[in-house]
Amino acid sequence: MYKDIRTFLHNELAEIESAGLYKNERVITSPQSAEITTGAKKVLNFCANNYLGLSNHPELVAAAKAALDTHGYGVSSVRFICGTQDLHKQLEAAIAGFFGTEDAILYASCFDANGGVFEPLLGEEDAIISDALNHASIIDGVRLCKAQRYRYANADMSELEEQLKKAQAQRFRLIVTDGVFSMDGNVAPLDKIYRLAEQYDAMIMVDESHSAGVVGRTGRGVTELHRLRGKIEIITGTLGKSFGGAIGGFTTGKKEIIDLLRQRSRPYLFSNSIPPMVAAAGIRMFRMMDKTNELQDKLHWNTAYFIQKMKDAGFDIKPTESAICAVMLYDAKLSQDMAAQLQEEGIYVTGFYYPVVPKGQARIRVQISASHEKEHLDKCIAAFTKVAKVLNVIK
Ligand SMILES: *Cc1c(COP(=O)(O)O)cnc(C)c1O
């Protein structure tokens, strides 16, 4: 049998390659940071989700090391058999405290949190109304659930209203949105979504993966930005971006929802607990955030500075309210050439084009971090300007 499928797989791979969509992995030999080593080269990293610069923070590393000694390396169990340590409970309480919610439940990833949130809560007689640009894990989670599916164009409130009207016959309605959309950096209009949810009797779920730690004055996410703390039924998020970047995800929100997920959510019931060192570092991280907004303030300053300077240099930047800055180039090949030349200049960024973004919307996505110093930002802006002049992107 394998002989036949091998030929088939060869062809599939060749097709991916000839379409220019083959993904190569770049090997990094240093910790994740503003400056990383890849190959023999040191480059400034502008494409990590390391928004608060915590991926290699000494306090988190120390907390993880200490937990190795006190709690061991792994737990070899799912949570409800013998995989719940005091650290897991403390981390869940810290997450709920951070978001101003009633309770939280940990998963191995946010992919799992989103995969396991819909099916236990909603059935055939219910409705899920989902933003068209929601993350792949939300789309997969919705697929696992029998609820009726409705979709609205990205952040389009008149389409959302239309879909809510259509869904009035259903028993329960849940509107689902990313907090920040990762390709443009725009924030979900949660204030308007909330008003529509009240008007048409629906619940809301927000995935704060790209917004937690970033959006809102103290980085509490989209619910802080729109003054809706504690008012949203379900929030999901990741520990793999702003929050230290290791691994882990969570769902947080109304107590009864979290209670039922502990009983019925399949990725929680049938997958291992996160390692104690990850839980311990997470607890330390939330404690740091309770004490100071230093990192969030620095990230906000860095982002505003970078965007203003790039606009001044003549770049076409998508409107953003996050630490994601999409430098629009429109042409696919140009986005790849420019990213390659920036790499030569010591700036590591990625160019995106169809099908990751719509046709004719190719871009370079820059992600700003609190670990960037002003000199890093200036170096990045200078490199962009130099390369863009050569490629006739700006004058
Ligand atoms: C990154 C991301 C995820 C996946 O998080 P993991 O913890 O890495 O699985 C889910 N949803 C959104 C919106 C994301 O940006």
Side-chain angles (χ1 to χ4, degrees), residues 34 63 85 100 105 117 122 151 162 165 176 272 276 278 283 289 294-295 309 326 334 345 347 368 385:
Q85 291 171 321
I105 173 173
V117 70
L122 303 172
R151 233 166 70 118
E162 249 170 68
K165 281 180 185 162
V176 187
N272 203 21
V278 171
I283 295 162
M289 298 224 173
E294 218 174 289
L295 295 173
K309 290 279 173 185
L334 179 60
E345 299 290 321
I347 304 296
I368 305 298
T385 306

Side-chain angles (χ1 to χ4, degrees), residues 109-111 114 135 137 178 207 209-210 238 241 248:
S109 67
C110 186
F111 206 104
N114 287 335
H135 191 261
S137 54
D178 280 13
D207 180 338
S209 289
H210 275 290
T238 182
K241 291 187 171 110

Side-chain angles (χ1 to χ4, degrees), residues 29 42 78 88 98 117 171 200 217 234 256 278 330 372:
T29 50
K42 279 195 173 165
V78 299
H88 296 102
F98 184 84
V117 70
R171 180 182 59 171
Y200 292 96
R217 197 183 60 78
I234 304 171
E256 296 76 11
V278 171
Y330 304 100
H372 293 135

Side-chain angles (χ1 to χ4, degrees), residues 259-300:
D259 272 354
L260 191 71
L261 293 176
R262 285 191 205 284
Q263 302 307 310
R264 297 236 179 102
S265 179
R266 292 165 69 85
Y268 183 78
L269 295 175
F270 299 106
S271 190
N272 203 21
S273 304
I274 65 167
M277 61 183 161
V278 171
I283 295 162
R284 180 74 62 92
M285 190 267 315
F286 284 112
R287 232 174 258 156
M288 275 169 53
M289 298 224 173
D290 279 343
K291 270 192 251 154
T292 163
N293 295 316
E294 218 174 289
L295 295 173
Q296 292 93 320
D297 291 347
K298 189 170 172 202
L299 176 63
H300 293 157

Side-chain angles (χ1 to χ4, degrees), residues 222-238:
V222 178
T223 62
E224 179 186 10
L225 183 72
H226 287 296
R227 299 168 189 274
L228 290 167
R229 263 172 84 73
K231 294 202 171 150
I232 300 301
E233 285 81 7
I234 304 171
I235 293 172
T236 60
T238 182

Side-chain angles (χ1 to χ4, degrees), residues 129-166:
I129 305 133
S130 182
D131 189 290
L133 289 191
N134 277 344
H135 191 261
S137 54
I138 294 178
I139 294 166
D140 286 8
V142 171
R143 278 191 193 138
L144 294 170
C145 170
K146 291 205 170 71
Q148 308 301 311
R149 299 167 200 170
Y150 299 85
R151 233 166 70 118
Y152 61 97
N154 180 231
D156 184 327
M157 293 299 99
S158 60
E159 269 195 35
L160 171 59
E161 183 164 14
E162 249 170 68
Q163 300 305 313
L164 281 165
K165 281 180 185 162
K166 282 191 203 158

